[in-house]
Each structure stands twice: as structure tokens, then as C-alpha cells.
């Protein structure tokens, strides 16, 4: 009877030794009573495996009796064959089987046996699974919950509402790019006040304050069809319209250089102003009357230009935007039927257009370039006001009316609507609640599938689960490319690539390395 000790104490570990027949048995008869029990059908395969404590030589001997060829016998046979034939270059080694093949095959067979009633996938493939939308319910949940059809209809209705809001939002944004405007009358009130302009006394009193004056420029947009008394009090500003300074790009006030040589020109620019103003006021010391010049440069949005005299005669417009001038020219060409019928990209120039472009015919693509030389900045508005230091202040006031473009009254409401649609905190809070509920539904569905699969076939379910968890443990331990359980079996070394691997190993072995220390190359 063989024991757990080494039957040959002089044997060198790592080298094959001659096989000794067991008395009373045939060499070809396997010793099934001495092999460890197979755990292929056990649900706890791989979990309770313990490392054998007997001698490795005894393990090799017992493996040889149970299998027609062991790894050490294959190595010995290959060594004998290599002694008779010259070394040859082994063919390329085929790729190793995938590490997830065993787990995938077990799960596939289990799913086929249960008609897909169990939702069990390997752990490595769970991360690659397509992520479901947060608000959508999968078909499997819809089959379990018939009431979910109402929820699906609500989602479809919400999608239609969102699409309609998105279209309206785009329409409003496009409308705000070219906002419509209305023409209104801007009335400019120009007057001055004075203080301490009493007759001089010699010598002047020590406590007397110096004489001063103030020039005020205030503007108000008049309502359509209303008239105000020019000599009356300046009306209050209507918040529906822009403030006075918004209509001007630059305001320049010129004083008398002989009276104020240090700072005779006062300039205000809209680009440097932090906020729009309802008017301007200039205060200085002085007791002499003079003539002040006010220069107002309009701030058109979109920008307007002054047309040249030939182009003004064709269109009948003095100041307008570039886009409206080009549109007016196209309407003129269409009304006069000047487009070339053989080549619509050209138009013929009548005597009026010849004065503008100087050509008999011209391409439509060159119209925007040719028209630039006929557009100039609009002329500023020049006003004069005499600073009076005596009499009634009402007599020294003056009013000037100019036409300005004011934004469409609904423009502010449209802008506010766009701002409100961006801040839908209540909708976002409801979406978060719905997403949390959908996640709970997914979790309950997975738990139901787990317990349902276990109740239908506990053994196969546990086998598939253990295979999946075993793969996770191998990934964590860094042994995902090896299958230790397969390497323990003799069938693993009967594969076609084993012989080529042994030949490769022997060819890399240094010459004369017969001792135990020179077992192989790198």
C-alpha cells in the first residue's frame, strides 16, 4: 500500500523517474479509488479547494496512473525526441482561450434551459451594458407592470411639449437677432440755470459765493399722438422706453475757449458709460454770457449710414441700414425688370444705376461690395444754445424733436420669457424624483430576477453565480488571464500547442545545462 511519503528518496525533484507498476494491477488500469473526488458538478467548485500536503512526486505518480499522459511524461518524451532530430523553429503559438469562456458558457446554457427568465450576466460585461435613459422603463418592466403604459404616454406627451417649446424658443431667438423697432419722437430739452449773478460791488464781500451757471440737456420719448407744452415742466421718464443717453454714441459740448481755456471741450462716450442717463448737466463758474455748441452723434442699432447723392436719388432714402439699402435696390431692380433673363446672376444698369455703379451690367454678388463706397457715417446733430445769466429761466429754454427707433414693447417680455425657461428649478426637482423612482424600479426588478432564477433552478443558478463571482475575484487578484482549475487537469496539457511549447523551451535551453540549476532559459 502506497503512503504519503516519497517512494524514491534519491529522486531529483523536477526530473521524471521511471514509472513502477503497482502490484496486483495492470499498468493501464486507473486507480480511481486513489483520485481526489471530482467537483465538476458541485455548486461550491473552487471555493473550498485546499492545497495538497503530500509529496509532489507521489502526486505525479498517481496522476500518471489516472491519465494516459502527464505533463512530466510529455516533457520526457519530447526530450527523447529532440535528441534524435535537429532543433527546429516551432510554429507560432495559438492565442490562449478567453478567461470568460467558462463563465459565459455556463450562463448561456443556464439561460437557454430557463428560456431567458433569469437576468444573470458576467461581472465583466455589466459595465459594458448599455445604460438605460433615466426616465425610460425597459420592456421587461413594462411587461410586469401594465400600469406603466400610462407613464409611457406621459413621457411621449412631455417630449412633444419640450419640442414645441424648443421651436418657439428658436423662433424668439431669431426674432431678437433682428428686433423690430418703432419710430418715436425724442424731444430734447435744452436750457440753463444760473446763481449768484448779482451786480458786482467794490470791494466784493468776503462771504459772497462765486457766480455759477449750469447747462442741462434732457430728453424724453413722446407717446404716439401726444403733444407737450415746450414751455412746461420736463415730464417724467417712461420706463417702457430707453433712457436719453441710449440714443447717442457720443455727446460733445464746446464752451468759449477765451472764457474757459483749460477745458473748453467736454465729451461723453456711450462705450465708457456704466449706465444709461436721463440727461446731462455741465456746471461752471462764470458771469459772462456766451454761445455753447452741442454735438450729438446718434447710436443706431443696427448701424445706419448716410447714402450718397446718386444712391439717394435712386432709392429716395437719406439714412438707413445696409441690409435695408440692399433690399431696396433688389426691389428697384425687380420693379424695373433689370435682371438678365439669360443669366440671372447679372442685372442690367439703367441710367440711374449707371450713375451709382458706373457699369452697364453687374453681378448680384458684387452688389454689397460696390455699395460700400456709397455709404458714410450719418451726420451728427449740431445744436447751439446761448448761456443767459439774466431774466426768467423759462425764456432761455429750447426744445428739439428728432425721430428715433425704440425697441418693440414685447421685446423685453420675450427676453424675460427666454430667461425664465432657463430657470426651471421646479421641473428639475420633479425630474430628480422621477429618476430616483426609476432607479428603485430597476433595483427591484434585478432583485426579483435574482430570486426568481434561484427558485426555478437553485443548483445551476448558484453555479453560474459562483463562476461570475470567481471571475471578479480573479480580476481583483490580477489572475484574469489564468485558469488554475484547468491547469490542474491533465487534459490541459494534451492540447496541440503543448508540444510546440516544449520544443520552444528546449531550443532556448543553454547547451550543457543538464544539472538542476540550468533548467531553462529566461
Amino acid at each position: 500500500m502506497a503512503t504519503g511519503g516519497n517512494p524514491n528518496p534519491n529522486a531529483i525533484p523536477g526530473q521524471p523517474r521511471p514509472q513502477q507498476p503497482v502490484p496486483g494491477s495492470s499498468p493501464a488500469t486507473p486507480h480511481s479509488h486513489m483520485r481526489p473526488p471530482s467537483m465538476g458538478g458541485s455548486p461550491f467548485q473552487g471555493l473550498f479547494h485546499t492545497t495538497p500536503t503530500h509529496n509532489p512526486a507521489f502526486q505525479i505518480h498517481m496522476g500518471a496512473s489516472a491519465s494516459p499522459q502527464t505533463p512530466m511524461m510529455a516533457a520526457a518524451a519530447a526530450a527523447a525526441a529532440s535528441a534524435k532530430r535537429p532543433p527546429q523553429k516551432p510554429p507560432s503559438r495559438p492565442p490562449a482561450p478567453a478567461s470568460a469562456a467558462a463563465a459565459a458558457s455556463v450562463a448561456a446554457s443556464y439561460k437557454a434551459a430557463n428560456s431567458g427568465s433569469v437576468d444573470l450576466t458576467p461581472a465583466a460585461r455589466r459595465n459594458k451594458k448599455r445604460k438605460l435613459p433615466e426616465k425610460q422603463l425597459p420592456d421587461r418592466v413594462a411587461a410586469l407592470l401594465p400600469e406603466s403604459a400610462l407613464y409611457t404616454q406621459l413621457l411621449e406627451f412631455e417630449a412633444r411639449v419640450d419640442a414645441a417649446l424648443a421651436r418657439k424658443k428658436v423662433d424668439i431667438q431669431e426674432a431678437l437677432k433682428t428686433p423690430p423697432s418703432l419710430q418715436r419722437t425724442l424731444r430734447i430739452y435744452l436750457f440753463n440755470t444760473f446763481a449768484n449773478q448779482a451786480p458786482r460791488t467794490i470791494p466784493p464781500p468776503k462771504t459772497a459765493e462765486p457766480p455759477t451757471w449750469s447747462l442741462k440737456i434732457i430728453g424724453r420719448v413722446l407717446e404716439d399722438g401726444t403733444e407737450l407744452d415746450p414751455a412746461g415742466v420736463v415730464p417724467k421718464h417712461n420706463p417702457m422706453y430707453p433712457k436719453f443717453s441710449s440714443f447717442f454714441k457720443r455727446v460733445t459740448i464746446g464752451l468759449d475757449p477765451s472764457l474757459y481755456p483749460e477745458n473748453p471741450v467736454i465729451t461723453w462716450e456711450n462705450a465708457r458709460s456704466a449706465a444709461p442717463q436721463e440727461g446731462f448737466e455741465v456746471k461752471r463758474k462764470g458771469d459772462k454770457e456766451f454761445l455753447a455748441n452741442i454735438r450729438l452723434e446718434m447710436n443706431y442699432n443696427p448701424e445706419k449710414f448716410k447714402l450718397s447723392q446718386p444712391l439717394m436719388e435712386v432709392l429716395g432714402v437719406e439714412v438707413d441700414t445696409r441690409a435695408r439699402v440692399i433690399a431696396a435696390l433688389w426691389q428697384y431692380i425687380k420693379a424695373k425688370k433689370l435682371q438678365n433673363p439669360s443669366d440671372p446672376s447679372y442685372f442690367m444698369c439703367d441710367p440711374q444705376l449707371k450713375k451709382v455703379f458706373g457699369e452697364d451690367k453687374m453681378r448680384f454678388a458684387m452688389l454689397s461690395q460696390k455699395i460700400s463706397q456709397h455709404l458714410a457715417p450719418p451726420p451728427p446733430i449740431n445744436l447751439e444754445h446761448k448761456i443767459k445769466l439774466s431774466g426768467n429761466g423759462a425764456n432761455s429754454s429750447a426744445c428739439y424733436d428728432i425721430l428715433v427707433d425704440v425697441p418693440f414693447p414685447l421685446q423685453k417680455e420675450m427676453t424675460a420669457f427666454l430667461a425664465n425657461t432657463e430657470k426651471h428649478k421646479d421641473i428639475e426637482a420633479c425630474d430628480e424624483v422621477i429618476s430616483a423612482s426609476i432607479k428603485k424600479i430597476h433595483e427591484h426588478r434585478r432583485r426579483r430576477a435574482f430570486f426568481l432564477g434561484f427558485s426555478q433552478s437553485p443548483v445551476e443558478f448558484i453555479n453560474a453565480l459562483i463562476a461570475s463571482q470567481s471571475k471578479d475575484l480573479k480580476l481583483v487578484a490580477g489572475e484574469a488571464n489564468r485558469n488554475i482549475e484547468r491547469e490542474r487537469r491533465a487534459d490541459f496539457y494534451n492540447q496541440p500547442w503543448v508540444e510546440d511549447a516544449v520544443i520552444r523551451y528546449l531550443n532556448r535551453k543553454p547547451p550543457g545545462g543538464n544539472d538542476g540549476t540550468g533548467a531553462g532559459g529566461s
Side-chain angles (χ1 to χ4, degrees), residues 139-220:
D139 297 336
R140 288 172 291 185
V141 176
L144 298 174
L145 298 175
E147 298 84 358
S148 62
L150 180 60
Y151 174 74
T152 304
Q153 294 176 3
L154 290 176
L155 286 181
E156 295 176 356
F157 180 76
E158 182 187 16
R160 291 196 297 268
V161 172
D162 291 341
L165 288 177
R167 289 195 301 269
K168 293 299 181 182
K169 182 179 178 180
V170 171
D171 295 342
I172 294 175
Q173 289 176 347
E174 292 296 330
L176 291 178
K177 291 181 180 178
T178 57
S181 59
L182 302 176
Q183 274 199 343
R184 291 289 185 265
T185 300
L186 176 65
R187 177 159 294 179
I188 302 176
Y189 297 87
L190 192 61
F191 59 95
N192 73 281
T193 59
F194 52 87
N196 303 322
Q197 298 292 337
R200 296 184 179 180
T201 59
I202 300 176
K206 296 181 179 180
T207 59
E209 296 182 359
T212 58
W213 55 266
S214 298
L215 175 63
K216 297 183 180 181
I217 307 173
I218 302 175
R220 295 289 185 268

Side-chain angles (χ1 to χ4, degrees), residues 113-436:
N114 293 274
S115 302
S117 61
V118 180
D119 183 18
L120 183 64
T121 55
R125 295 185 180 180
R126 291 176 185 172
N127 295 333
K128 297 181 181 179
K129 189 176 180 181
R130 181 177 63 87
K131 184 178 180 181
L132 294 174
E134 295 183 354
K135 291 186 178 182
Q136 297 292 337
L137 285 176
D139 297 336
R140 288 172 291 185
V141 176
L144 298 174
L145 298 175
E147 298 84 358
S148 62
L150 180 60
Y151 174 74
T152 304
Q153 294 176 3
L154 290 176
L155 286 181
E156 295 176 356
F157 180 76
E158 182 187 16
R160 291 196 297 268
V161 172
D162 291 341
L165 288 177
R167 289 195 301 269
K168 293 299 181 182
K169 182 179 178 180
V170 171
D171 295 342
I172 294 175
Q173 289 176 347
E174 292 296 330
L176 291 178
K177 291 181 180 178
T178 57
S181 59
L182 302 176
Q183 274 199 343
R184 291 289 185 265
T185 300
L186 176 65
R187 177 159 294 179
I188 302 176
Y189 297 87
L190 192 61
F191 59 95
N192 73 281
T193 59
F194 52 87
N196 303 322
Q197 298 292 337
R200 296 184 179 180
T201 59
I202 300 176
K206 296 181 179 180
T207 59
E209 296 182 359
T212 58
W213 55 266
S214 298
L215 175 63
K216 297 183 180 181
I217 307 173
I218 302 175
R220 295 289 185 268
V221 177
L222 303 182
E223 295 290 344
D224 191 14
T226 59
E227 281 291 338
L228 297 177
D229 184 11
V233 182
V234 177
K236 294 183 178 181
H237 170 70
N238 190 347
M240 187 176 63
Y241 298 114
K243 291 186 178 181
F244 174 68
S245 64
S246 303
F247 297 102
F248 301 98
K249 184 186 303 183
R250 185 179 294 105
V251 177
T252 306
I253 301 175
L255 307 180
D256 191 348
S258 60
L259 298 178
Y260 304 95
E262 295 181 358
N263 191 12
V265 179
I266 304 166
T267 304
W268 173 89
E269 293 185 357
N270 194 352
R272 299 181 180 180
S273 177
Q277 306 294 330
E278 297 183 3
F280 304 97
E281 180 179 5
V282 178
K283 187 175 182 179
R284 291 289 186 273
K285 296 178 180 180
D287 56 355
K288 293 183 179 181
E289 298 181 352
F290 65 94
L291 191 64
N293 298 318
I294 298 96
R295 177 189 174 99
L296 305 175
E297 298 182 21
M298 299 298 296
N299 182 24
Y300 295 108
N301 187 20
E303 189 176 3
K304 291 186 177 182
F305 301 91
K306 178 179 174 57
L307 280 63
S308 62
Q309 187 64 29
L311 188 59
M312 190 188 307
E313 294 176 359
V314 174
L315 302 180
V317 180
E318 183 178 359
V319 177
D320 213 332
T321 63
R322 177 187 288 270
R324 291 177 60 86
V325 169
I326 295 177
L329 278 174
W330 164 244
Q331 293 295 333
Y332 179 86
I333 294 170
K334 186 178 180 180
K336 297 289 185 179
K337 298 180 180 180
L338 300 178
Q339 190 173 8
N340 191 348
S342 59
D343 189 359
S345 62
Y346 283 85
F347 67 91
M348 309 304 295
C349 295
D350 61 356
Q352 298 292 336
L353 292 179
K354 284 183 180 179
K355 294 181 181 179
V356 178
F357 302 112
E359 298 179 5
D360 295 335
K361 66 176 183 178
M362 195 175 64
R363 292 175 61 92
F364 279 102
M366 299 296 296
L367 186 61
S368 178
Q369 181 179 355
K370 289 285 187 179
I371 208 176
S372 298
Q373 56 187 350
H374 295 277
L375 301 179
I381 299 174
N382 294 314
L383 304 177
E384 293 182 351
H385 179 76
K386 186 175 182 180
I387 304 296
K388 294 184 178 181
L389 304 179
S390 61
N392 189 3
N395 297 330
S396 61
S397 63
C399 295
Y400 302 90
D401 292 342
I402 58 176
L403 292 178
V404 294
D405 294 332
V406 297
F408 196 68
L410 293 179
Q411 183 175 356
K412 292 183 178 180
E413 298 180 4
M414 295 165 67
T415 306
F417 171 75
L418 293 179
N420 290 334
T421 55
E422 298 296 337
K423 300 177 181 179
H424 44 8
K425 295 182 179 179
D426 297 339
I427 299 178
E428 290 179 355
C430 294
D431 289 341
E432 291 179 359
V433 174
I434 294 175
S435 300

Side-chain angles (χ1 to χ4, degrees), residues 76-98:
S82 63
K84 297 179 182 180
R85 59 181 178 180
Q88 58 182 357
K89 184 177 181 181
S92 60
R93 180 177 178 177

